[in-house]
Amino acid sequence: VCNANFGETGWVGINENSIVNDRIVASVSKMNEYYLKNSDLDHRRYTMCHEIGHGFGLPHTDENPYNSNLGNCLDYTDDPDQNLHPGEVNFNKLRNMYLTNTERRVEKRYVRGNEEEEIEEERIIITRTLEYRG
């Protein structure tokens, strides 16, 4: 993530992903101070969340800034204070993109000296790290 005055580019924020073999291997989110320098905190937070979301491979949830807000930062808006964070739709998309397997296992641990206790855990196994399947 970086911010600088990139000039009159037409973009407030932009994300550049490097993709190799269908995997995001690098991502840079840029905030353009040319447009953001006089913006309030909510506009800056919205832009940052929006561009980092693209860094994970998330698409826009809506591209019309004039309709009702969807309550997530991948929604275009002219009223960012209602779209400052990722929404459930964004988290669901990330789960579908990155999490491919869940495994249950029983693990033995030593507790209180030599006594053994069985601990059942659910572990999420990421088998396709940073692979965009959208």
Side-chain angles (χ1 to χ4, degrees), residues 108-118:
K108 290 192 183 253
R109 278 193 200 154
Y110 289 99
V111 288
R112 285 181 251 111
N114 293 330
E115 295 177 36
E116 284 189 14
E117 177 182 313
E118 286 188 358

Side-chain angles (χ1 to χ4, degrees), residues 45-47 49-51 53-54 58-64 67-93:
R45 288 175 58 198
Y46 163 79
T47 303
C49 180
H50 185 96
E51 298 309 331
H54 288 319
L58 290 172
H60 295 131
T61 52
D62 180 61
E63 294 184 346
N64 180 351
N67 62 4
S68 298
N69 283 324
L70 299 178
N72 71 77
C73 65
L74 275 296
D75 172 27
Y76 274 15
T77 184
D78 278 340
D79 189 15
D81 67 324
Q82 295 179 20
N83 288 9
L84 294 178
H85 307 284
E88 192 60 31
V89 67
N90 306 126
F91 289 115
N92 288 338
K93 183 76 173 169

Side-chain angles (χ1 to χ4, degrees), residues 10-81:
W11 51 265
V12 176
I14 196 166
N15 184 270
E16 299 168 353
N17 287 337
S18 295
I19 300 172
V20 176
N21 296 325
D22 294 326
R23 293 177 189 247
I24 297 171
V25 296
S27 178
V28 176
S29 293
K30 297 178 182 179
M31 309 302 120
N32 192 345
E33 291 297 327
Y34 180 86
Y35 300 105
L36 289 170
K37 65 183 171 196
N38 295 319
S39 295
D40 64 17
L41 180 61
D42 285 347
H43 191 208
R44 296 172 80 81
R45 288 175 58 198
Y46 163 79
T47 303
M48 182 71 67
C49 180
H50 185 96
E51 298 309 331
I52 290 173
H54 288 319
F56 283 106
L58 290 172
H60 295 131
T61 52
D62 180 61
E63 294 184 346
N64 180 351
Y66 307 111
N67 62 4
S68 298
N69 283 324
L70 299 178
N72 71 77
C73 65
L74 275 296
D75 172 27
Y76 274 15
T77 184
D78 278 340
D79 189 15
D81 67 324

